[in-house]
Amino acid sequence: MQHITLGGLDIGRIGLGGMGMSAAYTGAGTDDAESIRAIHRALDLGVTMLDTAEIYGPYTNEELIGRAVKDRRDAVVIATKFGMVAHAGGGPGHLDSSPENIRTAVEGSLRRLGIDHIDLYYQHRVDPKTPIEDTVGALAELVTAGKVRHIGLSEAGADTIRRAHAVHPITALQSEYSLWTRDPESKVLPVLRELGIGLVAYSPLGRGFLTGTIRSTEHFDATDSRATNPRFEGENFDHNLRLVDEVVAVAADAGATPAQVALAWLLAQGADIAPIPGTKRVARVEENTAADGIQLTAEQLARLTAITPPLGDHHSAAQMQWIER
């Protein structure tokens, strides 16, 4: 797999997201053995960055990743996130990026992952109660202590990114970016490029929608976050299926799958962008990583860039409150 550099961090340019192995989607947490096989296959195919977070489970995805990489630590860039678990009170689902909470969170993540340092440690969502300067200052202390190698942010706005980077270099911003979530392009991506910060694109396949395999939501169980995602509801869903049909048409022209075409489009947006498609299945890992070798024509890229915008926010109303724009 081709490699890129994000803010000084060398990685294979397609990573693997771990969330869906343990949380948020139908069937999560039901087959850890298959998830570990998927992780191992990804590493075999040149994936180097594995993405997780303490909130995934909560906690169980970090444990799973830790078991999977126990004998392959040197080949892996482990990225995890803090800030959506308030350890001193409130628990999971409560924002807390105070220095005290960070010091507690990092020790838990290190223990669950079974490692002595985290390669890329992200603030999961900006905490309005804690100045970003205090948060990044605490993270800088962890870098000095050798517990963290690189610092990241997630879903932070342009002003917060600038303020954070002034305290300590930020390696990467993780935000949703895909053919149907292009919010970072107008304000955030120019700032990242000005400052030399990479973009890690989560949900690059639109939570599975852009694969073309989801034609109904009937199989979503009560634990599936997509059941309450506006893009999967009612008339929005029907409209967005037509968007996916446009991707399917380009994929047929390119001799690739819709997922591969969606990932190839992202890779074509710049050598500072790394998508982290998530899956717990070996076959999907093989399909997704093969996008590394796909070269779309200028016409195909233009068709994809011009596809119909989706209807509905890309998160629930409550979750959108945690995203800086």
Side-chain angles (χ1 to χ4, degrees):
M1 180 181 293
Q2 298 178 62
H3 276 227
I4 60 173
T5 300
L6 301 182
L9 178 63
D10 178 85
I11 59 168
R13 65 176 184 160
I14 298 175
L16 177 62
M19 181 186 73
M21 298 175 182
S22 306
Y25 296 146
T26 301
T30 59
D31 193 346
D32 284 357
E34 173 66 5
S35 293
I36 290 174
R37 286 192 292 271
I39 293 168
H40 288 169
R41 183 62 176 143
L43 298 179
D44 292 341
L45 292 171
V47 169
T48 62
M49 186 163 70
L50 302 179
D51 183 85
T52 184
E54 63 175 358
I55 192 65
Y56 298 160
Y59 312 126
T60 54
N61 192 244
E62 286 185 327
E63 294 169 350
L64 175 67
I65 298 292
R67 294 198 303 274
V69 305
K70 183 177 180 181
D71 299 320
R72 305 180 70 165
R73 176 64 177 104
D74 292 344
V76 181
V77 171
I78 295 180
T80 191
K81 306 183 251 335
F82 69 90
M84 289 181 70
V85 179
H87 291 281
H94 292 80
L95 299 184
D96 189 345
S97 287
S98 64
E100 296 79 10
N101 200 62
I102 292 171
R103 287 189 282 269
T104 300
V106 73
E107 296 300 333
S109 290
L110 289 170
R111 182 179 66 255
R112 289 184 291 273
L113 289 162
I115 57 179
D116 62 5
H117 71 273
I118 296 166
D119 297 299
L120 178 56
Y121 201 35
Y122 292 103
Q123 180 192 41
H124 207 153
R125 292 291 186 271
V126 175
D127 175 11
K129 303 184 302 297
T130 305
I132 194 64
E133 290 82 2
D134 293 351
T135 296
V136 177
L139 292 171
E141 292 176 1
L142 295 180
V143 173
T144 300
K147 295 182 179 182
V148 170
R149 295 284 172 84
H150 296 267
I151 295 172
L153 304 174
S154 181
E155 294 290 15
D159 180 63
T160 297
I161 294 167
R162 288 188 184 280
R163 289 166 54 200
H165 195 69
V167 176
H168 186 279
I170 301 300
T171 294
L173 175 79
Q174 183 175 134
S175 286
E176 184 164 352
Y177 186 35
S178 72
L179 279 170
W180 76 343
T181 304
R182 296 175 59 182
D183 304 31
E185 291 179 346
S186 60
K187 296 180 181 179
V188 167
L189 195 51
V191 171
L192 298 181
R193 287 175 169 160
E194 174 191 337
L195 300 177
I197 300 170
L199 175 62
V200 175
Y202 77 82
S203 292
L205 300 177
R207 296 171 180 79
F209 215 144
L210 294 174
T211 67
T213 61
I214 298 175
R215 310 301 296 187
S216 168
T217 62
E218 292 180 356
H219 66 284
F220 293 165
D221 66 24
T223 68
D224 200 310
S225 62
R226 293 171 294 186
T228 56
N229 185 295
R231 293 190 176 173
F232 289 81
E233 295 179 334
E235 294 181 358
N236 289 353
F237 183 83
D238 295 334
H239 169 91
N240 295 336
L241 280 178
R242 294 192 291 274
L243 177 159
V244 172
D245 289 340
E246 297 177 54
V247 180
V248 171
V250 175
D253 184 60
T257 69
Q260 290 168 342
V261 162
L263 292 171
W265 178 86
L266 262 179
L267 294 173
Q269 304 312 301
D272 52 356
I273 297 171
I276 50 168
T279 183
K280 59 178 185 282
R281 303 190 187 283
V282 170
R284 289 299 186 195
V285 165
E286 293 172 343
E287 177 185 0
N288 293 341
T289 54
D292 177 56
I294 293 175
Q295 295 291 325
L296 298 172
T297 67
E299 180 184 0
Q300 290 163 347
L301 287 169
R303 288 172 64 188
L304 291 168
T305 300
I307 62 173
T308 307
L311 290 181
D313 282 331
H314 57 99
H315 282 293
S316 69
Q319 292 169 325
M320 290 299 293
Q321 297 300 311
W322 289 354
I323 295 176
E324 289 194 346
R325 303 194 188 188

